[in-house]
């Protein structure tokens, strides 16, 4: 049988390996000079003033919520089509969570539904403190419209841009925080750029950066400008907040810094693969990803939707057929509120009809920069056979 083709895969070069080895041979494995260099590289790439590197995007979302003062009695709204971390971060802070349905075409948070929900909440006195739009598959949400709706009610914004480093919106890089307080990237192995595990919070607000920097490291600082007591000696430090050990190591940062030198190459290759898929599936009974005219996707994922009537078989049967053919399809994502934990919080099916319709039809197919033409042709042929019944 032909080799299994995964839906995603990291691209590691000898230069990446050498960068990690250099750190292993250095005096610093954890908090050395490479973490700030990586932060500067990412901030420079996306046009943000500050980058705060952490050990995962989940940690970045958590400290972002903390920096914005999310706590018990507050509410945070996000998209149902995301990994559970987007909403869990609010729960970690003791806040409540709710969900805004997605746009039928982009699968991102729908600005119209958000505006309606915010107006209803304002009338009831139940506005959220923060909303977390998620840039699903690497395509930016319509952030100008989301910002307009949120700012009218004084609601803060965290962009979950875990899929979207290297993408752009309104001609500017995702992560520049033009329409948000904080944006978060993920560096998990299947993402655009990897550090093994890791994440980063971007912001243009110096105070938010200062708070997130503290929260990622136990709430402890040695910065003389921030100390509340006179410095009694070089050993002195202060815990000023209850924080966490969310720091990124120099080992992880070295890999990420090396990978950032190939960000444009990664994005160019992913866009080329997406174009081949678009052309190949033009006459298939599947729906290909629609792109918002103001967004240029990073193409972390390529998601098709299958028409069961036209294909003559079920979504599950098509999924299983592809897996059995060695095509590592996946599904991103199950609507968060359908998870058992969230059902125990009181959520029920029917909350977000567009998200549930998506879930019944979506299949993520292989998309990674080292994918060969032969592998892509195998994927296309397998999908053609599967949807032909």
């Amino acid at each position: 049988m032909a080799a299994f083709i995964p839906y995603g895969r990291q691209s590691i070069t000898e230069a990446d390996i050498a960068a990690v080895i250099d750190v292993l041979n250095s005096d610093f494995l954890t908090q050395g000079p490479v973490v700030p260099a990586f932060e500067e590289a990412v901030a420079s790439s996306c046009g943000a003033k500050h980058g705060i590197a952490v050990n995962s995007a989940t940690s970045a979302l958590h400290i972002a919520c903390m920096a914005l003062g999310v706590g018990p009695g507050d509410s945070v709204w996000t998209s149902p089509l995301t990994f559970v971390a987007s909403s869990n971060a609010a729960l970690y802070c003791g806040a409540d969570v709710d969900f805004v349905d997605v746009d039928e075409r982009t699968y991102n948070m729908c600005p119209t539904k958000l505006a309606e929900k915010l107006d209803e909440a304002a009338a009831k006195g139940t506005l959220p403190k923060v909303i977390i739009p998620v840039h699903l598959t690497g395509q930016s949400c319509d952030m100008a419209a989301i910002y307009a709706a949120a700012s009218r009610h004084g609601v803060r914004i965290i962009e979950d841009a875990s899929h979207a480093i290297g993408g752009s919106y309104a001609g500017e890089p995702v992560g520049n925080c033009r329409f948000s307080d904080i944006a978060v990237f993920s560096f998990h192995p299947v993402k655009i750029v990897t550090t093994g595990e890791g994440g980063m919070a971007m912001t243009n607000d110096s105070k938010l950066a200062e708070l997130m920097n503290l929260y990622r490291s136990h709430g402890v600082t040695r910065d003389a400008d921030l100390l509340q007591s006179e410095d009694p000696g070089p050993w002195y430090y202060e815990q000023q907040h209850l924080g966490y050990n969310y720091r990124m190591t120099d080992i992880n940062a070295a890999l990420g810094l090396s990978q950032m030198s190939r960000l444009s190459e990664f994005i160019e290759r992913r866009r080329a693969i997406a174009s081949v898929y678009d052309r190949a599936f033009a006459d298939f009974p599947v729906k290909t990803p629609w792109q918002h005219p103001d967004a240029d996707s990073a193409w972390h994922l390529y998601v098709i939707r299958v028409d069961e009537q036209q294909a003559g078989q079920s979504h599950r049967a098509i999924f299983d057929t592809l897996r059995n053919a060695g095509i590592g399809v996946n599904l991103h994502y199950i609507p968060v509120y359908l998870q058992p934990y969230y059902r125990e919080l009181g959520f029920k099916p029917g909350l977000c009809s567009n998200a549930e319709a998506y879930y019944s039809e979506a299949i993520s197919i292989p998309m990674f920069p080292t994918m060969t033409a032969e592998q892509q042709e195998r994927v296309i042929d397998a999908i053609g056979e599967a949807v032909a019944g």
Side-chain angles (χ1 to χ4, degrees):
M1 183 178 176
F4 187 79
I5 303 174
Y7 84 85
R9 174 185 285 161
Q10 68 272 18
S11 171
I12 303 297
T13 64
E14 289 301 319
D16 294 335
I17 295 168
V20 173
I21 290 173
D22 285 346
V23 169
L24 293 173
N25 287 326
S26 76
D27 292 331
F28 299 97
L29 299 185
T30 55
Q31 303 304 289
V34 186
V35 169
F38 180 45
E39 291 171 333
E40 173 57 33
V42 177
S44 176
S45 174
C46 69
K49 291 182 180 178
H50 307 280
I52 298 88
V54 286
N55 58 5
S56 71
T58 304
S59 299
L61 287 165
H62 186 191
I63 63 172
C65 285
M66 292 174 69
L68 291 175
V70 174
D74 294 326
S75 176
V76 173
W77 295 357
T78 188
S79 168
L81 293 183
T82 181
F83 187 56
V84 294
S86 305
S87 52
N88 285 354
L91 298 182
Y92 299 157
C93 297
D96 294 324
V97 173
D98 202 356
F99 300 91
V100 180
D101 204 359
V102 299
D103 176 82
E104 291 180 296
R105 296 183 295 177
T106 64
Y107 319 138
N108 285 329
M109 182 180 285
C110 176
T112 301
K113 291 183 181 294
L114 172 65
E116 292 171 353
K117 193 177 178 84
L118 285 169
D119 288 344
E120 291 172 3
K124 297 176 183 176
T126 58
L127 281 167
K129 188 158 197 172
V130 170
I131 60 169
I132 305 179
V134 179
H135 302 330
L136 189 69
T137 76
Q139 179 177 196
S140 174
C141 297
D142 187 354
M143 290 306 303
I146 288 174
Y147 176 80
S151 60
R152 191 166 65 248
H153 296 287
V155 177
R156 310 294 288 273
I157 300 174
I158 300 169
E159 294 176 73
D160 187 341
S162 293
H163 293 185
I165 191 170
S168 64
Y169 174 76
E172 298 179 356
V174 169
N176 68 357
C177 299
R178 177 180 173 187
F179 298 108
S180 65
D181 297 281
I182 300 168
V184 168
F185 292 134
S186 170
F187 306 121
H188 183 275
V190 296
K191 299 300 195 302
I192 311 294
V193 165
T194 187
T195 59
E197 281 281 8
M200 193 176 295
M202 319 306 301
T203 188
N204 294 321
D205 187 310
S206 297
K207 183 60 178 178
L208 292 178
E210 177 185 303
L211 285 170
M212 289 190 287
N213 189 44
L214 285 168
Y215 288 138
R216 72 171 168 181
S217 188
H218 303 283
V220 168
T221 184
R222 294 179 183 272
D223 187 337
D225 292 333
L226 299 179
L227 296 179
Q228 297 176 11
S229 301
E230 185 177 346
D231 183 358
W235 64 85
Y236 188 69
Y237 60 88
E238 290 179 350
Q239 181 183 344
Q240 298 178 344
H241 300 275
L242 182 60
Y244 297 82
N245 185 1
Y246 283 168
R247 294 169 300 192
M248 178 180 283
T249 72
D250 262 30
I251 298 170
N252 298 100
L255 176 56
L257 186 58
S258 179
Q259 292 252 308
M260 282 298 294
S261 68
R262 290 188 288 144
L263 177 59
S264 295
E265 173 190 327
F266 288 150
I267 298 300
E268 182 179 346
R269 179 65 186 131
R270 287 175 178 274
R271 288 176 178 163
I273 292 169
S275 294
V276 172
Y277 278 147
D278 285 345
R279 292 192 298 271
F281 298 145
D283 298 321
F284 285 23
V286 301
K287 183 184 293 184
T288 54
W290 183 84
Q291 299 300 290
H292 191 285
D294 290 335
D296 205 351
S297 181
W299 290 107
H300 164 53
L301 298 170
Y302 191 99
V303 176
I304 61 172
R305 292 178 66 169
V306 297
D307 186 318
E308 294 185 337
Q309 273 195 321
Q310 290 185 350
Q313 53 184 326
S314 70
H315 173 254
R316 173 62 187 269
I318 294 168
F319 191 97
D320 288 346
T321 296
L322 292 170
R323 279 278 181 96
N324 292 335
I327 309 301
V329 291
N330 211 325
L331 204 167
H332 300 86
Y333 294 93
I334 304 168
V336 174
Y337 61 84
L338 295 181
Q339 295 292 344
Y341 179 85
Y342 281 84
R343 292 200 189 204
E344 290 179 7
L345 296 178
F347 291 101
K348 297 177 181 178
L351 176 64
C352 297
S353 58
N354 289 345
E356 291 179 34
Y358 164 95
Y359 174 54
S360 70
E361 299 177 348
I363 299 177
S364 300
I365 67 175
M367 162 66 83
F368 50 92
T370 57
M371 191 178 196
T372 65
E374 291 75 19
Q375 287 175 319
Q376 189 168 18
E377 193 62 35
R378 257 189 69 199
V379 173
I380 293 166
D381 289 345
I383 291 172
E385 292 176 13
V387 300

